[in-house]
Amino acid sequence: MRLMMLVAALLVTGASVAWADDFRAYDVEIVQPWARATPPGETTAMVFMKLGNTGDIADRLLRASAPVAERVELHGAEVGSDEIKMKTVDAIALPPGQDVMLQPGSWHLMLIGLKEPLVAGSTLPLTLTFERGGMVDVTAEVTDVGAMAPPPDDD
Ligand SMILES: [Cu+2]
C-alpha cells in the first residue's frame, strides 16, 4: 500500500523529482532551462537550455508552450555580415549522442505575447513536445535582464 502511494506521488510530480533544474523526455535530457527577466511592456522573451540526446536515435523538438505567453516559437539564428537575424524553424533537430545548446545568438524558444513580465528569481513553467520523447513539463529559472548564461547551480 505504501509503495503504491509512493508510485502515485512520483507520477504526479513527474520529471521534477530528478534534479531541481534538469528534466528528461525519454532519451533527451533537458538541462537547466533559463530565461532573462523582461522590462515592463516587453512582449517577447527568449528561453534557453541544453538538450542532450543520450540515445541512439534522432529526436526533434517540435513545439513549446507556456502559460505566460500567447504562443511559443522555435527560433534559430542566421549570422549575417553585421548582425544576427532570428528565424522561425519547424523543429530543432537533436542528433543521437549530441548536445544542442539553446543559447544567446543561437537556437532558442521565443515567447510571443507575454501576458506579464518575467521577474528575476522567479520560475517559468513550459511544456515541450518532442517527436519521440513526447510532452514534458519543465521549469525555467528567470535571471537578470542582461544575463548571458544560466544562473549558477546551487548544489
Ligand atoms: Cu527569437
Side-chain angles (χ1 to χ4, degrees):
M1 186 61 196
R2 180 166 295 183
L3 180 63
M4 284 190 62
M5 287 174 62
L6 178 64
V7 169
L10 287 174
L11 286 175
V12 169
T13 51
S16 61
V17 293
W19 295 96
D21 48 11
D22 294 349
F23 307 87
R24 177 170 275 275
Y26 289 89
D27 285 336
V28 178
E29 281 180 344
I30 301 136
V31 180
Q32 209 175 10
W34 64 285
R36 296 174 182 138
T38 56
E42 180 62 66
T43 57
T44 63
M46 300 184 195
V47 182
F48 311 107
M49 66 196 69
K50 181 167 91 176
L51 297 175
N53 186 347
T54 62
D56 300 327
I57 301 172
D59 202 344
R60 298 195 303 161
L61 177 62
L62 299 180
R63 277 186 298 283
S65 63
V68 76
E70 280 168 20
R71 68 179 198 278
V72 180
E73 295 181 351
L74 309 180
H75 280 188
E78 246 168 18
V79 181
S81 52
D82 53 0
E83 58 175 359
I84 298 175
K85 277 188 185 162
M86 299 190 294
K87 57 170 185 180
T88 305
V89 295
D90 291 336
I92 296 176
L94 304 171
Q98 290 187 29
D99 291 338
V100 173
M101 297 299 297
L102 279 62
Q103 60 191 0
S106 183
W107 304 107
H108 56 277
L109 309 183
M110 199 83 192
L111 307 187
I112 312 278
L114 271 185
K115 298 168 187 171
E116 55 192 68
L118 303 184
V119 178
S122 69
T123 56
L124 169 67
L126 297 155
T127 302
L128 307 178
T129 304
F130 296 90
E131 192 168 52
R132 291 188 69 240
M135 287 176 75
V136 60
D137 291 333
V138 307
T139 306
E141 289 184 54
V142 181
T143 68
D144 292 332
V145 173
M148 289 300 288
D153 258 326
D154 31 21
D155 53 28

